[in-house]
Short mmCIF file of all heavy atoms in Angstrom, two decimals:
data_model
loop_
_atom_site.label_atom_id
_atom_site.label_comp_id
_atom_site.label_asym_id
_atom_site.label_seq_id
_atom_site.Cartn_x
_atom_site.Cartn_y
_atom_site.Cartn_z
N GLY A 234 254.47 138.19 116.31
CA GLY A 234 255.21 137.03 116.01
C GLY A 234 254.58 135.73 115.98
O GLY A 234 255.02 134.62 115.92
N TYR A 235 253.20 135.83 116.01
CA TYR A 235 252.35 134.56 115.88
C TYR A 235 252.26 134.12 114.36
O TYR A 235 252.32 134.95 113.43
CB TYR A 235 250.95 134.77 116.40
CG TYR A 235 250.91 135.20 117.84
CD1 TYR A 235 250.71 136.54 118.24
CD2 TYR A 235 251.03 134.22 118.83
CE1 TYR A 235 250.52 136.86 119.62
CE2 TYR A 235 251.06 134.63 120.24
CZ TYR A 235 250.82 135.90 120.52
OH TYR A 235 250.80 136.27 121.87
N GLU A 236 252.23 132.81 114.23
CA GLU A 236 251.91 132.19 112.92
C GLU A 236 250.37 132.37 112.58
O GLU A 236 249.61 131.54 113.18
CB GLU A 236 252.41 130.76 112.82
CG GLU A 236 253.94 130.50 113.15
CD GLU A 236 254.26 129.12 113.46
OE1 GLU A 236 253.39 128.26 113.19
OE2 GLU A 236 255.44 128.91 113.72
N MET A 237 250.05 133.24 111.82
CA MET A 237 248.63 133.50 111.70
C MET A 237 247.98 132.89 110.42
O MET A 237 248.64 132.72 109.37
CB MET A 237 248.35 135.08 111.63
CG MET A 237 248.79 135.91 112.79
SD MET A 237 247.92 135.40 114.39
CE MET A 237 246.17 135.72 113.83
N MET A 238 246.72 132.64 110.70
CA MET A 238 245.89 132.19 109.55
C MET A 238 244.56 132.85 109.67
O MET A 238 244.07 133.06 110.83
CB MET A 238 245.60 130.54 109.61
CG MET A 238 244.71 130.11 108.58
SD MET A 238 244.22 128.42 108.82
CE MET A 238 245.83 127.61 108.91
N GLY A 239 244.00 133.32 108.60
CA GLY A 239 242.68 134.05 108.64
C GLY A 239 241.64 133.19 107.83
O GLY A 239 241.82 132.69 106.89
N VAL A 240 240.44 133.06 108.59
CA VAL A 240 239.29 132.42 108.04
C VAL A 240 238.07 133.33 107.99
O VAL A 240 237.78 134.04 109.05
CB VAL A 240 238.87 131.16 108.83
CG1 VAL A 240 237.67 130.57 108.45
CG2 VAL A 240 240.14 130.15 108.90
N ASP A 241 237.38 133.36 106.90
CA ASP A 241 236.28 134.10 106.77
C ASP A 241 235.20 133.47 105.75
O ASP A 241 235.64 132.85 104.89
CB ASP A 241 236.55 135.60 106.36
CG ASP A 241 235.50 136.53 106.79
OD1 ASP A 241 234.35 136.66 106.11
OD2 ASP A 241 235.49 137.24 107.79
N SER A 242 233.88 133.72 105.92
CA SER A 242 233.02 133.22 104.99
C SER A 242 232.68 134.11 103.82
O SER A 242 232.05 133.68 102.84
CB SER A 242 231.70 132.88 105.66
OG SER A 242 231.14 134.15 106.31
N SER A 243 233.24 135.40 103.85
CA SER A 243 233.11 136.29 102.76
C SER A 243 234.27 136.26 101.86
O SER A 243 235.33 136.68 102.32
CB SER A 243 232.90 137.69 103.30
OG SER A 243 232.91 138.65 102.35
N GLU A 244 234.16 135.84 100.56
CA GLU A 244 235.21 135.83 99.69
C GLU A 244 235.72 137.22 99.34
O GLU A 244 236.89 137.42 99.12
CB GLU A 244 234.88 135.03 98.48
CG GLU A 244 236.04 134.86 97.47
CD GLU A 244 237.23 134.08 98.10
OE1 GLU A 244 237.01 132.97 98.57
OE2 GLU A 244 238.42 134.69 98.11
N ASP A 245 234.82 138.20 99.39
CA ASP A 245 235.15 139.57 99.04
C ASP A 245 236.05 140.16 100.12
O ASP A 245 237.05 140.84 99.81
CB ASP A 245 233.89 140.34 98.86
CG ASP A 245 233.13 140.00 97.69
OD1 ASP A 245 233.45 140.41 96.63
OD2 ASP A 245 232.12 139.31 97.91
N MET A 246 235.71 139.88 101.34
CA MET A 246 236.60 140.38 102.44
C MET A 246 237.96 139.73 102.41
O MET A 246 238.93 140.38 102.47
CB MET A 246 235.91 140.00 103.91
CG MET A 246 234.69 140.77 104.14
SD MET A 246 234.83 142.42 104.48
CE MET A 246 234.83 142.51 106.34
N LEU A 247 238.12 138.40 102.03
CA LEU A 247 239.23 137.83 101.87
C LEU A 247 240.08 138.33 100.73
O LEU A 247 241.38 138.42 100.72
CB LEU A 247 239.15 136.30 101.79
CG LEU A 247 238.50 135.55 103.02
CD1 LEU A 247 238.24 134.07 102.67
CD2 LEU A 247 239.43 135.71 104.18
N SER A 248 239.41 138.84 99.65
CA SER A 248 239.97 139.24 98.42
C SER A 248 240.81 140.58 98.86
O SER A 248 241.92 140.87 98.37
CB SER A 248 239.00 139.58 97.43
OG SER A 248 239.63 140.20 96.30
N VAL A 249 240.08 141.42 99.72
CA VAL A 249 240.69 142.71 100.28
C VAL A 249 241.94 142.28 101.06
O VAL A 249 243.06 142.87 100.85
CB VAL A 249 239.74 143.39 100.97
CG1 VAL A 249 240.53 144.70 101.56
CG2 VAL A 249 238.62 143.94 100.08
N ALA A 250 241.80 141.32 102.00
CA ALA A 250 242.92 140.95 102.88
C ALA A 250 244.09 140.39 102.04
O ALA A 250 245.32 140.81 102.34
CB ALA A 250 242.41 139.80 103.81
N ARG A 251 243.86 139.56 101.09
CA ARG A 251 244.97 139.07 100.25
C ARG A 251 245.63 140.11 99.45
O ARG A 251 246.85 140.09 99.24
CB ARG A 251 244.38 137.98 99.18
CG ARG A 251 243.86 136.69 100.02
CD ARG A 251 243.40 135.68 99.05
NE ARG A 251 242.89 134.37 99.78
CZ ARG A 251 241.58 134.02 99.50
NH1 ARG A 251 240.83 134.70 98.68
NH2 ARG A 251 241.22 132.95 100.15
N GLY A 252 244.83 141.09 98.91
CA GLY A 252 245.41 142.23 98.19
C GLY A 252 246.35 143.06 98.98
O GLY A 252 247.39 143.41 98.57
N ILE A 253 245.94 143.33 100.25
CA ILE A 253 246.89 144.04 101.15
C ILE A 253 248.11 143.24 101.42
O ILE A 253 249.14 143.80 101.47
CB ILE A 253 246.13 144.41 102.53
CG1 ILE A 253 244.99 145.33 102.21
CG2 ILE A 253 247.04 145.02 103.46
CD1 ILE A 253 243.98 145.57 103.35
N ASP A 254 247.91 141.99 101.81
CA ASP A 254 249.09 141.19 102.04
C ASP A 254 250.09 140.97 100.84
O ASP A 254 251.31 140.92 101.15
CB ASP A 254 248.64 139.85 102.52
CG ASP A 254 248.18 139.81 103.97
OD1 ASP A 254 247.82 140.99 104.49
OD2 ASP A 254 248.19 138.79 104.64
N GLU A 255 249.55 141.06 99.81
CA GLU A 255 250.46 141.02 98.51
C GLU A 255 251.39 142.21 98.46
O GLU A 255 252.56 142.16 98.14
CB GLU A 255 249.66 140.82 97.21
CG GLU A 255 249.07 139.39 96.99
CD GLU A 255 248.13 139.41 95.84
OE1 GLU A 255 248.31 140.24 95.02
OE2 GLU A 255 247.59 138.34 95.55
N GLU A 256 250.77 143.26 98.76
CA GLU A 256 251.48 144.63 98.79
C GLU A 256 252.66 144.51 99.98
O GLU A 256 253.73 145.09 99.76
CB GLU A 256 250.63 145.80 99.03
CG GLU A 256 249.64 146.10 97.81
CD GLU A 256 248.71 147.15 98.00
OE1 GLU A 256 248.82 147.85 99.06
OE2 GLU A 256 247.84 147.40 97.16
N ASP A 257 252.23 143.97 101.07
CA ASP A 257 253.08 143.90 102.14
C ASP A 257 253.99 142.68 102.13
O ASP A 257 254.86 142.51 103.09
CB ASP A 257 252.31 143.86 103.54
CG ASP A 257 251.53 145.17 103.68
OD1 ASP A 257 251.83 146.17 103.12
OD2 ASP A 257 250.48 145.14 104.55
N ASP A 258 253.92 141.85 101.22
CA ASP A 258 254.71 140.61 101.09
C ASP A 258 254.59 139.71 102.28
O ASP A 258 255.60 139.29 102.74
CB ASP A 258 256.17 140.91 100.89
CG ASP A 258 257.07 139.87 100.38
OD1 ASP A 258 256.56 138.90 99.65
OD2 ASP A 258 258.28 139.87 100.64
N SER A 259 253.32 139.54 102.67
CA SER A 259 253.11 138.85 103.90
C SER A 259 252.80 137.34 103.50
O SER A 259 252.43 136.93 102.31
CB SER A 259 251.81 139.31 104.47
OG SER A 259 251.29 138.55 105.55
N SER A 260 253.02 136.49 104.47
CA SER A 260 252.83 134.97 104.17
C SER A 260 251.65 134.40 104.96
O SER A 260 251.52 133.29 105.20
CB SER A 260 254.07 134.29 104.71
OG SER A 260 254.33 134.44 106.14
N ILE A 261 250.74 135.36 105.38
CA ILE A 261 249.44 134.80 106.01
C ILE A 261 248.68 134.11 105.12
O ILE A 261 248.38 134.54 103.96
CB ILE A 261 248.73 136.06 106.66
CG1 ILE A 261 249.51 136.77 107.64
CG2 ILE A 261 247.41 135.57 107.30
CD1 ILE A 261 248.98 138.01 108.14
N LEU A 262 248.04 132.89 105.49
CA LEU A 262 247.10 132.19 104.73
C LEU A 262 245.69 132.57 105.16
O LEU A 262 245.36 132.59 106.17
CB LEU A 262 247.40 130.64 105.07
CG LEU A 262 246.47 129.65 104.43
CD1 LEU A 262 246.56 129.72 102.91
CD2 LEU A 262 246.53 128.30 105.04
N TYR A 263 245.02 132.85 103.97
CA TYR A 263 243.57 133.21 104.17
C TYR A 263 242.75 132.14 103.44
O TYR A 263 242.99 131.87 102.30
CB TYR A 263 243.26 134.60 103.62
CG TYR A 263 243.84 135.79 104.40
CD1 TYR A 263 245.07 136.28 103.89
CD2 TYR A 263 243.33 136.20 105.60
CE1 TYR A 263 245.67 137.41 104.51
CE2 TYR A 263 243.98 137.30 106.26
CZ TYR A 263 245.07 137.81 105.73
OH TYR A 263 245.66 138.89 106.44
N ILE A 264 241.73 131.55 104.18
CA ILE A 264 240.94 130.54 103.60
C ILE A 264 239.43 130.88 103.88
O ILE A 264 239.00 131.53 104.77
CB ILE A 264 241.16 129.20 104.15
CG1 ILE A 264 241.05 129.14 105.71
CG2 ILE A 264 242.67 128.79 103.76
CD1 ILE A 264 241.29 127.86 106.33
N ASN A 265 238.72 130.64 102.89
CA ASN A 265 237.31 130.78 102.69
C ASN A 265 236.55 129.55 103.39
O ASN A 265 236.23 128.59 102.67
CB ASN A 265 236.74 131.06 101.37
CG ASN A 265 235.36 131.47 101.18
OD1 ASN A 265 234.71 130.99 100.29
ND2 ASN A 265 234.74 132.08 102.16
N GLN A 266 236.06 129.62 104.51
CA GLN A 266 235.29 128.54 105.24
C GLN A 266 234.33 129.26 106.21
O GLN A 266 234.38 130.40 106.66
CB GLN A 266 236.31 127.65 106.02
CG GLN A 266 237.19 126.94 105.18
CD GLN A 266 238.01 125.75 105.98
OE1 GLN A 266 237.76 125.54 107.24
NE2 GLN A 266 238.90 125.14 105.34
N ASP A 267 233.23 128.29 106.47
CA ASP A 267 232.23 128.73 107.58
C ASP A 267 232.76 128.29 108.88
O ASP A 267 233.35 127.18 109.09
CB ASP A 267 231.04 127.91 107.27
CG ASP A 267 229.86 128.36 108.01
OD1 ASP A 267 229.79 128.44 109.14
OD2 ASP A 267 228.76 128.54 107.24
N MET A 268 232.62 129.17 109.89
CA MET A 268 233.01 128.77 111.23
C MET A 268 232.45 127.59 111.90
O MET A 268 232.90 127.06 112.87
CB MET A 268 232.93 130.01 112.26
CG MET A 268 231.49 130.56 112.55
SD MET A 268 231.53 131.82 113.73
CE MET A 268 232.12 133.14 112.75
N ARG A 269 231.27 127.26 111.31
CA ARG A 269 230.52 126.17 111.80
C ARG A 269 231.06 124.73 111.23
O ARG A 269 230.74 123.65 111.68
CB ARG A 269 229.09 126.29 111.41
CG ARG A 269 228.34 127.35 112.05
CD ARG A 269 226.92 127.70 111.35
NE ARG A 269 227.14 128.08 109.98
CZ ARG A 269 226.06 128.38 109.18
NH1 ARG A 269 224.84 128.38 109.71
NH2 ARG A 269 226.24 128.76 107.95
N GLU A 270 231.91 124.92 110.17
CA GLU A 270 232.37 123.72 109.52
C GLU A 270 233.96 123.85 109.17
O GLU A 270 234.36 123.78 108.04
CB GLU A 270 231.51 123.42 108.20
CG GLU A 270 230.08 123.17 108.68
CD GLU A 270 229.36 122.93 107.30
OE1 GLU A 270 229.83 123.34 106.15
OE2 GLU A 270 228.23 122.43 107.37
N LEU A 271 234.67 124.08 110.25
CA LEU A 271 236.14 124.31 109.83
C LEU A 271 236.86 123.00 109.39
O LEU A 271 236.59 121.93 110.02
CB LEU A 271 236.75 124.91 111.09
CG LEU A 271 236.53 126.22 111.50
CD1 LEU A 271 237.17 126.64 112.85
CD2 LEU A 271 236.79 127.32 110.54
N GLU A 272 237.71 123.09 108.41
CA GLU A 272 238.36 121.98 107.88
C GLU A 272 239.85 122.41 107.79
O GLU A 272 240.17 123.00 106.70
CB GLU A 272 237.83 121.43 106.60
CG GLU A 272 236.47 120.84 106.78
CD GLU A 272 235.90 120.28 105.48
OE1 GLU A 272 236.70 120.22 104.44
OE2 GLU A 272 234.83 119.88 105.40
N LEU A 273 240.64 122.11 108.76
CA LEU A 273 242.11 122.56 108.72
C LEU A 273 243.10 121.44 108.69
O LEU A 273 242.79 120.26 109.16
CB LEU A 273 242.37 123.39 110.06
CG LEU A 273 241.42 124.59 110.39
CD1 LEU A 273 241.76 125.17 111.64
CD2 LEU A 273 241.46 125.53 109.27
N LEU A 274 244.22 121.66 108.02
CA LEU A 274 245.12 120.56 107.95
C LEU A 274 245.87 120.33 109.26
O LEU A 274 246.13 119.10 109.70
CB LEU A 274 246.23 120.93 106.82
CG LEU A 274 245.71 120.99 105.50
CD1 LEU A 274 246.84 121.49 104.59
CD2 LEU A 274 245.26 119.61 105.00
#
């Protein structure tokens, strides 16, 4: 039940995550960022 966001520095890993979520019709936001320089709204 948590409102989730995923952050990773690997665009390839995020591509896999987004592909799975598209199949599951998920609304999770995945963004490509470095944990040392997070920029969130």
